[in-house]
Amino acid sequence: MIRSRTIRLGRLAAAGAAAAFVLATGANAQKLYKWTDDKGVVHYTDKAPDPGRGGTVLDKQGRQVSRIDAANTPDQARAKEAAEEKQREASKDAELEARRNRALLSSYTTESEIDLARARAAGTVETQIQAAQAYLSQLQKRKKDIDARKARYTDKPVPPQLEAESASVDAEFTKNRDLVAQKQRELAAVNARYESDKERWRELKGQDAATPGSGRTQAASPAPSATAKK
């Protein structure tokens, strides 16, 4: 087996150093490796550098054949994985955005269609809000009636049945009051979503109109008026 030898370079030319290494190791050397240590000293050996150090594979004339990439440190490996994960997330977000844009353009041909869709979606939520508010009004009347009945028992305990009814109405009132608040937030979200869709639709239509070969044709210029014959 060939014993590993190293030539350390000062100002010696690379080709001359490689040739000197071949002479030193003999014609049986199959591969030459060039690598640099931590002090910046260049080495030529017949064994590959350590995995954590990169290098170059040379032929017997000292010409580069291929490169050897240094293995990543644990910190470098984690950083690489984090960067790759970030890139995957960015690609995923871009694909979702492109899909949303295609769906937006295929769903609406005019702004009025977006407004109509928003009116329908908002109308559904508004109807639910009105129904819940009407029920709250009924519960408020029941609550007022129960409180009046409870007020009659000034000198004796309120019957358990009346207390239970009062607690039930209070719970139902709180539940529907929260439902109204939830639906009002939902209504605001619906309006904001459709407004965002309209703005994005405008942007996409503007880009489409400005793109050559998009299939859109500009309005023909009016023909010059004929000169009256004298």
Side-chain angles (χ1 to χ4, degrees), residues 142-154 156-170:
R142 289 183 58 190
K143 181 175 172 44
K144 185 177 180 180
D145 177 67
I146 292 172
D147 289 342
R149 288 158 57 192
K150 289 171 65 177
R152 299 171 188 166
Y153 295 90
T154 55
K156 52 185 178 179
V158 177
Q161 183 177 358
L162 186 57
E163 287 284 15
E165 184 180 357
S166 176
S168 176
V169 170
D170 286 343

Side-chain angles (χ1 to χ4, degrees), residues 128-143:
Q128 294 170 343
I129 292 175
Q130 292 171 0
Q133 288 176 332
Y135 187 39
L136 278 178
S137 179
Q138 296 177 8
L139 290 172
Q140 185 67 38
K141 292 178 180 179
R142 289 183 58 190
K143 181 175 172 44

